[in-house]
Amino acid sequence: MLDSLRRIHAVAGKEVRQLLRDRLTFGMIVGLPLLQIVLFGYAINTDVRHLKAGVADMAHTQLSRTLVAQAQASQVVDIAAVTPSAPALEKLLNDGRISVGIYIPPDFDRRASTGGQPAAQLMVDGSDPTLLGVAQGLAAMPLLSRDLAPPAAVPLFELRNYYNPERRSAVDIVPALIGVILTLTMVLFTAVAIVRERERGNLELLITTPVRTLELMAGKIEPYIIIGLTQVTIVLVAGELLFKVPVRGSLVDLYLASLLFIAASLGLGLLISTVARTQFQAMQLTVFTFLPSILLSGFMFPFDGMPRFAQELGELLPLTHFIRLVRGIQLRGADLNGLLPDVWPLLVFFGLTMTLAVLKFHKRLD
Amino acid sequence: MSADYAIETRGLTRRFGSFTAVDGVDLAIPRGRIYGFLGPNGSGKSTTIRMLCGLLEPSSGEAQVLGYEMPREAEALRRKLGYMTQNFSLYTDLTVRENLEFMAEIFALPRRQCAIRIRDAMQHYFLADIAKQRAGTMSGGQKQRLALAAATLHAPELLCLDEPTSAVDPQSRRDFWDRLFELAAAGTTILISTHLMDEAERCHGLAIISRGKLVAEGTPMALMQGIDALVLEIETADPQKASIALRGEAYVKNVTQLGTRLHALLKRDTATPVERLTETLRQAGLKAEVREIPANLEDVFVTVTSFEGDERVAPRA
């Protein structure tokens, strides 16, 4: 038992030394989380503003000018072009010069006052689904004018936005980003860990020594657990400093959830490491598992909106469960006990991948 | 099987698909000896050593190593086994000392002994001055000394060396062998695979392996004396022409040119070999000085590996 611990620490210590001497890998540990949080935090912004818009005002009335001014004031659109006709507006849209076209027909005032039929037309570049959603919001904008009677119909629902009232994308992105960064780095590092020793010939020597498979695996993942938790800290601190993303739940729960997810990712990495013959293969396999994680976990697209098959596939991915855990703890202030349905899949995933990796790895060359 | 032997095998066989790399090898290697496997590249000597170390599973046959049944008891053997791979397989990005410390921990040597053994090993193998140098930046000879130091740190009973000196100069090779003799004198059984004659000649016992089969076994001296050929040295003005003339003769097994001289292996039952050879060369219009000489290990090797039955090996182009 004591000998086992010594061997695990020997492997872990060696791994850390090699890591510290490999500047590129070491840079990735710190650099990758920072780079990703900055890129994702600033670039992914579903709260779209300042869309380029074109106007074709056929009415030329007080009311039509009010509409244009109001649309401008909403900051959702910037009026970039004024055209004399609907076809000219379509041309601009088609050429990609504008994303939204506002067409105000000559009988705009009459339509607006009588109701029953839309007063103006909004032309939207539907090739970008996000724009469509934004424009739909714009279409619902009530026209406020002294000349008009109060709106005939009161909206059926009043929308209240919980947890992210300012609708800042960073608040949604940053917690999930912990999972994405861990998926990439943890799986990749461990995936190459054993293959690298095989490629460099170290494994031929190691398997002639008394080191057991489980000891080798444990020693290999030990340093990466620390590295993973460091990365979690980097993302949390950067999220707080750059984007004011709060941690509403307990930090202990958050780190426990991260630990679970790190373990699951390391297990997957080790499994890849025992299957792949070269480091290049290991990287390919990592990317192969990384893409579905990004797409099907609910990080990119709302999980509930996905087709049933995609959802079932998503349930198999550790990232799906971790994103639920981390959003729950960090944004809703939930505690881990309440999130057990997403805790045990991670445990099962870790147990399964570790077992397979240990079984798959033979202390032989054949 | 008897306990007197470090290694005993019976019918040891390993197949890779349809290719038989090692074919029915029987061995009985005594303890405390340096035992060599001599054979051309791809003859199966590395595969044999790897099976004996538990790195490869035999397809059939049995092997007992230090009393352990292989491959079933391979894990138990590993504490008593030192292994040096053909290519340097310690960590190139760790220093000499770190590599040795790593191996000491992996073998879980008693803590108090660790520091002492590492210090002694570094002194013994002339590594003390480069203790902080990373292994990747060292010369071939230094790497080899480090590999041997690491493989013997836990004082193994059996040391397996897979072509250990292919990449080092003759002086380093001599030093290396001095160390091996010390280890053998201290009771370590050493298995070594090689294709170098001078290295094979230093072994206590030798097995010559060709195409997976054990074709000759014994001490180097016994092998040289028992060679199934007559060895003659020929000095002539035109060795090339002489060589061509001799290769057409049925009683000549093999001819090699060594500078201005020729080295010929004749069938053992050739009567009056010196006279016969001189006559053959005379008919080809060549004057030559011929004398019979004792066989060296290369002669034995050539006789048993490139010559099977009366089948003649095609002369090299």
Side-chain angles (χ1 to χ4, degrees):
Chain A
M1 185 60 205
L2 219 61
D3 288 355
S4 266
L5 284 180
R6 281 182 71 184
R7 283 194 282 265
I8 292 172
H9 282 303
V11 175
K14 172 211 70 108
E15 203 73 14
V16 169
R17 281 208 172 103
Q18 290 184 308
L19 216 59
L20 290 176
R21 281 166 200 181
D22 182 358
R23 280 199 205 126
L24 193 67
T25 310
F26 190 67
M28 265 178 77
I29 293 169
V30 181
L32 205 71
L34 282 176
L35 189 74
Q36 289 217 10
I37 195 168
V38 169
L39 280 182
F40 277 85
Y42 285 116
I44 297 192
N45 194 355
T46 50
D47 183 13
V48 186
R49 281 166 191 274
H50 303 293
L51 296 175
K52 281 208 175 76
V55 175
D57 186 355
M58 303 284 112
H60 296 292
T61 62
Q62 177 71 31
L63 195 61
S64 72
R65 280 189 289 274
T66 310
L67 177 76
V68 173
Q70 208 179 315
Q72 175 95 307
S74 73
Q75 290 189 2
V76 175
V77 290
D78 283 344
I79 307 299
V82 176
T83 60
S85 68
L89 203 57
E90 276 172 347
K91 174 94 170 63
L92 284 178
L93 198 65
N94 202 18
D95 293 348
R97 305 260 302 277
I98 57 171
S99 314
V100 178
I102 301 171
Y103 175 73
I104 305 174
D107 54 351
F108 174 67
D109 284 27
R110 188 182 57 77
R111 285 166 174 243
S113 53
T114 54
Q117 86 190 103
Q121 202 177 19
L122 211 52
M123 301 165 174
V124 183
D125 175 7
S127 61
D128 186 336
T130 326
L131 288 183
L132 200 58
V134 173
Q136 276 161 357
L138 197 65
M141 180 178 76
L143 185 61
L144 302 174
S145 169
R146 282 168 285 119
D147 306 344
L148 233 57
V154 176
L156 194 53
F157 291 109
E158 181 198 14
L159 183 74
R160 270 188 69 193
N161 185 346
Y162 280 76
Y163 314 121
N164 187 7
E166 307 101 314
R167 299 210 304 174
R168 284 187 297 127
S169 307
V171 173
D172 286 329
I173 298 280
V174 168
L177 205 56
I178 298 177
V180 173
I181 290 165
L182 287 179
T183 302
L184 188 61
T185 52
M186 293 294 101
V187 177
L188 187 64
F189 288 161
T190 41
V192 298
I194 286 179
V195 187
R196 191 182 50 218
E197 303 229 351
R198 195 193 302 276
E199 272 191 340
R200 292 187 187 170
N202 309 127
L203 207 61
E204 190 184 346
L205 180 67
L206 265 188
I207 57 183
T208 64
T209 70
V211 70
R212 292 193 194 94
T213 305
L214 201 59
E215 291 164 356
L216 185 64
M217 303 265 170
K220 282 270 172 196
I221 64 174
E222 196 186 292
Y224 296 107
I225 293 176
I226 312 286
I227 288 168
L229 292 176
T230 310
Q231 291 187 325
V232 173
T233 310
I234 291 175
V235 177
L236 285 180
V237 171
E240 164 66 33
L241 292 181
L242 296 177
F243 302 107
K244 301 259 176 293
V245 179
V247 180
R248 297 209 176 92
S250 104
L251 266 181
V252 175
D253 279 0
L254 190 55
Y255 275 93
L256 272 179
S258 302
L259 196 62
L260 272 174
F261 180 64
I262 288 169
S265 301
L266 293 178
L268 179 64
L270 277 185
L271 185 60
I272 290 176
S273 207
T274 55
V275 176
R277 307 307 294 180
T278 62
Q279 291 194 59
F280 183 67
Q281 275 183 9
M283 284 182 208
Q284 280 184 316
L285 280 171
T286 305
V287 172
F288 183 72
T289 60
F290 183 64
L291 279 180
S293 290
I294 294 284
L295 297 176
L296 302 180
S297 62
F299 171 70
M300 281 280 189
F301 312 112
F303 195 80
D304 294 328
M306 296 192 311
R308 196 178 159 72
F309 172 71
Q311 285 193 8
E312 280 167 2
L313 217 59
E315 291 287 350
L316 297 177
L317 300 166
L319 186 60
T320 308
H321 300 284
F322 179 68
I323 284 181
R324 288 182 199 152
L325 288 179
V326 75
R327 280 184 177 156
I329 296 166
Q330 194 175 355
L331 300 181
R332 301 201 301 272
D335 69 288
L336 208 53
N337 270 331
L339 300 168
L340 286 181
D342 287 307
V343 169
W344 67 259
L346 291 180
L347 281 172
V348 170
F349 191 88
F350 171 63
L352 213 65
T353 47
M354 265 315 258
T355 311
L356 281 176
V358 171
L359 288 179
K360 189 89 187 51
F361 182 81
H362 294 292
K363 274 188 76 182
R364 281 205 307 273
L365 289 173
D366 51 352
Chain B
M1 290 192 179
S2 129
D4 299 342
Y5 293 109
I7 292 167
E8 279 193 279
T9 70
R10 216 166 286 154
L12 195 64
T13 301
R14 170 71 203 207
R15 281 178 287 269
F16 294 104
S18 60
F19 172 68
T20 306
V22 175
D23 192 358
V25 168
D26 298 329
L27 291 170
I29 302 169
R31 287 176 188 264
R33 294 298 193 84
I34 302 178
Y35 193 87
F37 290 97
L38 179 64
N41 290 329
S43 59
K45 53 191 194 302
S46 287
T47 307
T48 307
I49 286 202
R50 284 172 174 180
M51 279 195 282
L52 295 177
C53 295
L55 288 184
L56 288 173
E57 204 161 337
S59 304
S60 64
E62 30 187 300
Q64 208 169 11
V65 182
L66 299 180
Y68 297 111
E69 203 66 51
M70 300 300 285
R72 195 168 55 80
E73 294 177 303
E75 278 303 315
L77 173 72
R78 294 203 162 118
R79 290 171 194 284
K80 301 181 177 177
L81 172 74
Y83 184 73
M84 204 174 133
T85 51
Q86 198 164 336
N87 300 312
F88 185 71
S89 57
L90 287 162
Y91 296 96
T92 49
D93 42 5
L94 296 188
T95 66
V96 168
R97 177 184 291 280
E98 286 164 350
N99 267 305
L100 291 175
E101 282 169 351
F102 176 71
M103 289 305 274
E105 290 295 309
I106 287 294
F107 279 94
L109 299 183
R111 271 189 205 281
R112 277 181 215 161
Q113 284 186 29
C114 276
I116 300 170
R117 284 212 203 178
I118 289 169
R119 195 195 59 207
D120 289 353
M122 286 202 294
Q123 264 167 14
H124 196 70
Y125 291 99
F126 308 111
L127 295 166
D129 294 341
I130 51 169
K132 286 183 181 166
Q133 196 175 332
R134 291 197 194 166
T137 64
M138 303 195 311
S139 73
Q142 289 171 328
K143 279 184 186 167
Q144 190 203 39
R145 294 207 299 274
L146 174 59
L148 187 61
T152 53
L153 205 59
H154 60 294
E157 286 179 40
L158 176 67
L159 184 60
C160 290
L161 312 166
D162 195 359
E163 294 191 14
T165 62
S166 306
V168 300
D169 59 83
Q171 184 56 49
S172 297
R173 193 178 300 157
R174 274 167 183 253
D175 295 340
F176 183 77
W177 272 87
D178 286 344
R179 299 285 167 256
L180 293 190
F181 283 122
E182 284 170 17
L183 287 164
T188 313
T189 308
I190 298 173
L191 288 190
I192 184 166
S193 77
T194 184
H195 52 247
L196 304 172
M197 296 307 150
D198 65 327
E199 199 160 73
E201 227 159 322
R202 292 177 164 118
C203 296
H204 295 122
L206 203 55
I208 301 181
I209 295 185
S210 175
R211 294 177 209 172
K213 288 201 169 92
L214 187 69
V215 289
E217 208 215 350
T219 64
M221 189 56 76
L223 285 170
M224 288 187 277
Q225 284 168 352
I227 185 173
D228 184 28
L230 300 168
V231 187
L232 285 93
E233 196 174 59
I234 303 150
E235 257 178 277
T236 173
D238 191 347
Q240 290 230 298
K241 195 175 169 194
S243 174
I244 292 162
L246 290 178
R247 274 179 187 151
E249 294 296 322
Y251 70 97
V252 180
K253 287 180 157 194
N254 185 283
V255 184
T256 318
Q257 187 172 349
L258 301 167
T260 57
R261 288 168 296 132
L262 285 179
H263 204 78
L265 300 175
L266 309 190
K267 282 190 172 176
R268 195 166 181 91
D269 54 8
T270 312
T272 60
V274 174
E275 290 74 10
R276 185 147 181 209
L277 208 59
T278 313
E279 176 58 22
T280 305
L281 289 172
R282 200 191 56 76
Q283 282 172 6
L286 287 162
K287 263 186 79 173
E289 198 174 308
V290 179
R291 63 178 172 277
E292 199 174 342
I293 56 165
N296 63 28
L297 205 51
E298 187 167 333
D299 298 326
V300 179
F301 182 75
V302 169
T303 311
V304 297
T305 58
S306 63
F307 200 83
E308 269 155 19
D310 268 337
E311 184 191 332
R312 185 170 278 279
V313 173
R316 264 168 257 154

mmCIF file of all heavy atoms in Angstrom, chain A residues 74-88:
data_model
loop_
_atom_site.group_PDB
_atom_site.id
_atom_site.type_symbol
_atom_site.label_atom_id
_atom_site.label_comp_id
_atom_site.label_asym_id
_atom_site.label_seq_id
_atom_site.Cartn_x
_atom_site.Cartn_y
_atom_site.Cartn_z
ATOM 1 N N SER A 74 -33.959 52.982 -30.007
ATOM 2 C CA SER A 74 -33.914 51.703 -29.295
ATOM 3 C C SER A 74 -32.503 51.112 -29.294
ATOM 4 O O SER A 74 -32.224 50.183 -28.557
ATOM 5 C CB SER A 74 -34.859 50.697 -29.954
ATOM 6 O OG SER A 74 -34.302 50.264 -31.181
ATOM 7 N N GLN A 75 -31.627 51.653 -30.141
ATOM 8 C CA GLN A 75 -30.238 51.194 -30.295
ATOM 9 C C GLN A 75 -30.142 49.813 -30.922
ATOM 10 O O GLN A 75 -29.047 49.311 -31.142
ATOM 11 C CB GLN A 75 -29.503 51.179 -28.948
ATOM 12 C CG GLN A 75 -29.243 52.555 -28.421
ATOM 13 C CD GLN A 75 -28.339 52.524 -27.201
ATOM 14 O OE1 GLN A 75 -27.883 51.485 -26.779
ATOM 15 N NE2 GLN A 75 -28.087 53.692 -26.636
ATOM 16 N N VAL A 76 -31.301 49.204 -31.191
ATOM 17 C CA VAL A 76 -31.244 47.891 -31.830
ATOM 18 C C VAL A 76 -30.789 48.063 -33.277
ATOM 19 O O VAL A 76 -30.009 47.284 -33.801
ATOM 20 C CB VAL A 76 -32.614 47.188 -31.778
ATOM 21 C CG1 VAL A 76 -32.590 45.884 -32.555
ATOM 22 C CG2 VAL A 76 -33.008 46.930 -30.336
ATOM 23 N N VAL A 77 -31.270 49.115 -33.892
ATOM 24 C CA VAL A 77 -30.847 49.362 -35.271
ATOM 25 C C VAL A 77 -30.196 50.733 -35.393
ATOM 26 O O VAL A 77 -30.501 51.656 -34.645
ATOM 27 C CB VAL A 77 -32.042 49.296 -36.246
ATOM 28 C CG1 VAL A 77 -32.544 47.863 -36.366
ATOM 29 C CG2 VAL A 77 -33.157 50.237 -35.821
ATOM 30 N N ASP A 78 -29.284 50.821 -36.336
ATOM 31 C CA ASP A 78 -28.732 52.107 -36.750
ATOM 32 C C ASP A 78 -29.210 52.328 -38.173
ATOM 33 O O ASP A 78 -29.015 51.468 -39.026
ATOM 34 C CB ASP A 78 -27.194 52.063 -36.743
ATOM 35 C CG ASP A 78 -26.650 52.155 -35.336
ATOM 36 O OD1 ASP A 78 -27.422 52.553 -34.439
ATOM 37 O OD2 ASP A 78 -25.467 51.805 -35.128
ATOM 38 N N ILE A 79 -29.823 53.463 -38.410
ATOM 39 C CA ILE A 79 -30.282 53.730 -39.774
ATOM 40 C C ILE A 79 -29.062 54.057 -40.622
ATOM 41 O O ILE A 79 -28.391 55.069 -40.424
ATOM 42 C CB ILE A 79 -31.279 54.911 -39.811
ATOM 43 C CG1 ILE A 79 -32.412 54.684 -38.812
ATOM 44 C CG2 ILE A 79 -31.818 55.101 -41.233
ATOM 45 C CD1 ILE A 79 -33.256 53.459 -39.055
ATOM 46 N N ALA A 80 -28.744 53.156 -41.547
ATOM 47 C CA ALA A 80 -27.529 53.318 -42.340
ATOM 48 C C ALA A 80 -27.847 53.839 -43.734
ATOM 49 O O ALA A 80 -26.980 54.385 -44.399
ATOM 50 C CB ALA A 80 -26.802 51.982 -42.448
ATOM 51 N N ALA A 81 -29.098 53.650 -44.192
ATOM 52 C CA ALA A 81 -29.423 54.083 -45.547
ATOM 53 C C ALA A 81 -30.902 54.468 -45.626
ATOM 54 O O ALA A 81 -31.742 53.880 -44.954
ATOM 55 C CB ALA A 81 -29.142 52.955 -46.540
ATOM 56 N N VAL A 82 -31.165 55.469 -46.432
ATOM 57 C CA VAL A 82 -32.554 55.846 -46.698
ATOM 58 C C VAL A 82 -32.771 55.688 -48.197
ATOM 59 O O VAL A 82 -32.002 56.219 -48.995
ATOM 60 C CB VAL A 82 -32.825 57.298 -46.265
ATOM 61 C CG1 VAL A 82 -34.246 57.699 -46.636
ATOM 62 C CG2 VAL A 82 -32.589 57.465 -44.774
ATOM 63 N N THR A 83 -33.767 54.872 -48.535
ATOM 64 C CA THR A 83 -33.974 54.595 -49.958
ATOM 65 C C THR A 83 -35.368 55.061 -50.375
ATOM 66 O O THR A 83 -36.268 55.183 -49.535
ATOM 67 C CB THR A 83 -33.854 53.088 -50.242
ATOM 68 O OG1 THR A 83 -34.846 52.421 -49.465
ATOM 69 C CG2 THR A 83 -32.497 52.559 -49.887
ATOM 70 N N PRO A 84 -35.563 55.287 -51.679
ATOM 71 C CA PRO A 84 -36.847 55.823 -52.143
ATOM 72 C C PRO A 84 -37.914 54.749 -52.342
ATOM 73 O O PRO A 84 -39.092 55.089 -52.433
ATOM 74 C CB PRO A 84 -36.488 56.483 -53.474
ATOM 75 C CG PRO A 84 -35.287 55.741 -53.944
ATOM 76 C CD PRO A 84 -34.558 55.249 -52.733
ATOM 77 N N SER A 85 -37.516 53.449 -52.427
ATOM 78 C CA SER A 85 -38.544 52.459 -52.766
ATOM 79 C C SER A 85 -38.257 51.108 -52.120
ATOM 80 O O SER A 85 -37.152 50.856 -51.642
ATOM 81 C CB SER A 85 -38.591 52.264 -54.294
ATOM 82 O OG SER A 85 -37.386 51.646 -54.696
ATOM 83 N N ALA A 86 -39.288 50.264 -52.115
ATOM 84 C CA ALA A 86 -39.134 48.917 -51.558
ATOM 85 C C ALA A 86 -38.100 48.087 -52.319
ATOM 86 O O ALA A 86 -37.264 47.428 -51.702
ATOM 87 C CB ALA A 86 -40.485 48.203 -51.532
ATOM 88 N N PRO A 87 -38.108 48.088 -53.684
ATOM 89 C CA PRO A 87 -37.095 47.307 -54.406
ATOM 90 C C PRO A 87 -35.676 47.745 -54.070
ATOM 91 O O PRO A 87 -34.768 46.913 -53.958
ATOM 92 C CB PRO A 87 -37.424 47.585 -55.874
ATOM 93 C CG PRO A 87 -38.861 47.959 -55.869
ATOM 94 C CD PRO A 87 -39.099 48.683 -54.578
ATOM 95 N N ALA A 88 -35.470 49.046 -53.888
ATOM 96 C CA ALA A 88 -34.125 49.527 -53.546
ATOM 97 C C ALA A 88 -33.698 48.980 -52.187
ATOM 98 O O ALA A 88 -32.533 48.627 -51.960
ATOM 99 C CB ALA A 88 -34.110 51.055 -53.529
#
